[in-house]
Amino acid sequence: MSPDDLSSRTLRFVNVAHALDHFVLLIYPTAVIAIASQTGLGYGELIGLATGAFVAFGLCSLPMGSLADRFGRRNMLAVFFFGYGLSCFGVASAATPTAFAIWLCVLGLASAIYHPVGSTMLVTHARRLGHDLGINGVWGNFGAASASGATALLATTLGWQAAFVVPGLVCLACGTAFVAMVPGDGDGEARKAGGAAIIPVTRPMALLAMFGVAIFAGGITFNVTTISLPKVIDEGVGQALSLTLIGSIATAVFVFGALTQLLMGRLVDRFGLPSLFLGLSVLQPLGLGLAAASSGPLLLLGLVLAIAAIYGQVVINDAMIARYVPAHQRAKAYSLRYFVGFTASGFVVPLIALLHDRGGFGLVLGTAAAFGGLIWVAAFGFYRLVRSDAQPVLAAAA
């Protein structure tokens, strides 16, 4: 197989894996509505069972870069496909709160593989960095967007177990095809734009601190919004809505995130990352604040703005590492980036349950808006540091 063919196949499977990663992880937040109606357990109690999944999603991302360097990125992505499929079957078989918690934790462990490994594979084989990051982001957003609608449809027609079994079968099929069609890691670095020259740094620690704050706060806003979105729509738009309609509205909101990622992918190839970072960061506190203070159409508008900014920010973050971190350190850098973002967000699940019980989703979204404001502060600090330097800055300090 030629290097170009290997890169093309690799990029296709990395994109599919990104869609599955977000789809499967967001099955439970919608399925829990159907599970609650069958078990009689409250939403707060059931959603709390997913804490282990999201904590594992963050904590276990840290060693994945090192494991990929040792065992190969292709092999680790194969483990992701098969591990995700089997863990879906495990959740579908759960009949007690303890079983749900255990299998959701296993699912989170499998999900932790994708971002550190898949992001490194993506930027290694990318032909046009911004374009390919944007496309990959759309695949991930498509997974997140379709999770609510597809889960609601499967749960209402075939039962909530089918909402896990069907995606599990898809994961196993994709893993089998991936192993058969992608024989190794390859290396597109020397030939492709993904291997563009690294931007030099003069104050790496200061820039790394600003970037780290944004990653931490972004992990909070990302998961507060994506996990609670179906229930926010259920309570904020209309109590009489069916589960299928709730899922469809949630899907429509996520579509705007996909459009933003396409736009950001194009802009990354044309403009400076610090300026894009600052401009986009304004929308998170604006959208989340509007959603927290309103209901009906205004709430949906706020959610659209927030989701667009949150998913656009993912493209910016990954592009920063690709442009500022040397190739031999990228796997570890992506592991650290997702460890900070996803570990912080892993504690969002009990936070949602606590805040929802005390003040409803107005308090949940208002808290998320405060973290969105922190992202803007970090982006502003990042931008000012870059402007005050003679050279563009972020770090190869990964």
Side-chain angles (χ1 to χ4, degrees):
M1 183 184 301
S2 71
D4 284 343
D5 287 342
L6 178 61
S7 289
S8 296
R9 290 188 183 185
T10 298
L11 289 173
R12 292 190 190 103
F13 277 103
V14 166
N15 289 339
V16 170
H18 196 196
L20 288 173
D21 188 54
H22 286 286
F23 182 99
V24 172
L25 200 61
L26 291 177
I27 293 174
Y28 187 75
T30 298
V32 73
I33 299 175
I35 296 171
S37 66
Q38 294 183 20
T39 63
L41 297 174
Y43 172 80
E45 180 179 0
L46 283 171
I47 199 67
L49 298 176
T51 300
F54 290 97
V55 171
F57 188 37
L59 286 177
C60 297
S61 65
L62 186 59
M64 293 305 172
S66 296
L67 290 175
D69 289 338
R70 180 174 181 180
F71 297 108
R73 296 186 293 270
R74 177 258 193 185
N75 295 334
M76 289 299 296
L77 197 64
V79 172
F80 162 80
F81 281 120
F82 292 117
Y84 234 12
L86 295 175
S87 60
C88 280
F89 295 154
V91 177
S93 70
T96 65
T98 300
F100 275 115
I102 291 172
W103 278 111
L104 286 168
C105 188
V106 174
L107 186 147
L109 174 62
S111 70
I113 297 173
Y114 172 76
H115 283 91
V117 176
S119 297
T120 306
M121 296 175 76
L122 172 67
V123 300
T124 297
H125 291 277
R127 291 166 173 80
R128 287 182 292 161
L129 179 63
H131 173 269
D132 289 338
L133 281 172
I135 294 297
N136 179 258
V138 169
W139 276 86
N141 190 274
F142 173 77
S146 57
S148 295
T151 299
L153 180 62
L154 288 170
T156 53
T157 56
L158 301 176
W160 69 262
Q161 291 90 344
F164 288 95
V165 171
V166 173
L169 291 172
V170 173
C171 290
L172 294 181
C174 289
T176 301
F178 175 70
V179 170
M181 298 178 66
V182 179
D185 288 344
D187 185 8
E189 200 69 44
R191 301 177 310 281
K192 305 185 188 302
I198 301 302
I199 298 175
V201 178
T202 60
R203 288 186 288 177
M205 297 312 297
L207 271 296
L208 186 62
M210 292 294 103
F211 190 57
V213 169
I215 293 296
F216 175 86
I220 300 294
T221 59
F222 181 96
N223 277 272
V224 165
T225 309
T226 56
I227 293 170
S228 64
L229 185 64
K231 191 64 175 176
V232 169
I233 293 171
D234 181 32
E235 294 188 7
V237 177
Q239 293 284 353
L241 297 180
S242 68
L243 180 58
T244 301
L245 184 55
I246 291 170
S248 298
I249 294 174
T251 296
V253 172
F254 278 120
V255 166
F256 287 91
L259 296 175
T260 305
Q261 288 185 314
L262 279 176
L263 174 62
M264 295 310 300
R266 292 178 179 273
L267 295 178
V268 161
D269 289 329
R270 299 182 182 183
F271 300 100
L273 289 173
S275 298
L276 293 175
F277 183 18
L278 179 60
L280 189 64
S281 67
V282 175
L283 295 181
Q284 287 204 44
L286 179 63
L288 290 167
L290 178 60
S294 58
S295 61
L298 282 179
L299 179 141
L300 290 177
L301 175 61
L303 291 175
V304 166
L305 290 174
I307 288 291
I310 287 167
Y311 277 89
Q313 187 64 51
V314 173
V315 176
I316 297 286
N317 294 343
D318 286 347
M320 283 182 170
I321 292 177
R323 293 297 308 278
Y324 293 99
V325 176
H328 68 280
Q329 293 180 327
R330 281 190 194 141
K332 293 183 178 65
Y334 279 116
S335 293
L336 183 60
R337 172 252 198 275
Y338 287 107
F339 168 75
V340 172
F342 291 152
T343 299
S345 63
F347 299 100
V348 158
V349 177
L351 180 65
I352 291 174
L354 176 65
L355 295 176
H356 178 265
D357 289 344
R358 297 197 174 184
F361 278 112
L363 182 58
V364 172
L365 295 174
T367 302
F371 281 99
L374 186 59
I375 295 172
W376 180 85
V377 170
F380 182 74
F382 189 96
Y383 179 80
R384 289 297 300 269
L385 284 169
V386 169
R387 286 292 300 270
S388 66
D389 257 327
Q391 295 178 316
V393 189
L394 203 195

